[in-house]
């Protein structure tokens, strides 16, 4: 099992790679989406609208798996397993805009109800 302090894991967490966030659906089925993320040294953070299924999945069952590939070496990746430790309201979409800037997107907050999902990592697997 990898360590959060590993240089390879830190490189992945501080990259502009896309994360694949997997949740558990109402009938136990996996649900995976490609997402922007930010690592703040405590949580892997995502923004999400409260109107989509993934948000409902997380409210019902906070367990997640997140896979992120090293952008410089596609054979190096980390899978982070954990739980949504907290959900922060984001009424102005400030975090969405922060992520858009990080990823070089011209998209900006469009007024949909948003939250910040804060994932606490319990375990790291993968080829790192």
């Amino acid at each position: 099992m990898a360590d959060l302090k590993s240089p390879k894991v830190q490189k992945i967490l501080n990259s502009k790679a896309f994360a694949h966030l997997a949740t558990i659906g109402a009938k136990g089925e996996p649900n995976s989406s490609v997402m922007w993320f930010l690592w703040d040294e405590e949580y892997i953070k995502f923004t999400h609208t409260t109107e989509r299924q993934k948000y409902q999945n997380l409210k019902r069952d906070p367990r997640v798996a997140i896979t992120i590939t090293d952008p410089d070496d596609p054979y190096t990746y980390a899978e982070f397993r954990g739980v949504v430790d907290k959900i922060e309201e984001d009424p102005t979409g400030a975090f969405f805009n922060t992520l858009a800037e990080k990823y070089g997107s011209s998209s900006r907050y469009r007024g949909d109800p948003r939250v910040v999902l804060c994932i606490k990592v319990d375990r790291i697997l993968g080829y790192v």
Side-chain angles (χ1 to χ4, degrees), residues 22-31 53 56-58 60-61:
T23 62
I24 302 166
K27 297 177 184 172
E29 73 280 9
N31 177 313
Q53 186 60 49
Q56 300 308 317
N57 291 349
L58 292 169
R60 187 187 60 264
D61 188 335

Side-chain angles (χ1 to χ4, degrees), residues 31-94:
N31 177 313
S32 181
S33 300
V34 177
M35 307 274 291
W36 291 338
F37 76 95
L38 181 74
W39 169 243
D40 74 355
E41 303 298 323
E42 182 178 5
Y43 295 107
I44 300 175
K45 292 184 169 184
F46 299 92
T47 183
H48 208 284
T49 176
T50 58
E51 298 173 338
R52 293 197 182 144
Q53 186 60 49
K54 184 169 296 306
Y55 179 70
Q56 300 308 317
N57 291 349
L58 292 169
K59 285 187 69 171
R60 187 187 60 264
D61 188 335
R63 296 177 295 165
V64 298
I66 302 160
T67 304
I68 307 169
T69 303
D70 182 330
D72 299 321
D73 180 3
Y75 296 101
T76 300
Y77 69 93
E79 178 185 337
F80 304 91
R81 293 187 186 171
V83 295
V84 177
D85 190 52
K86 63 182 177 175
I87 298 174
E88 300 171 345
E89 298 294 321
D90 190 16
T92 65

Side-chain angles (χ1 to χ4, degrees), residues 12-29:
I12 288 170
L13 286 170
N14 288 295
S15 75
K16 291 183 181 180
F18 293 103
H20 298 260
L21 173 64
T23 62
I24 302 166
K27 297 177 184 172
E29 73 280 9

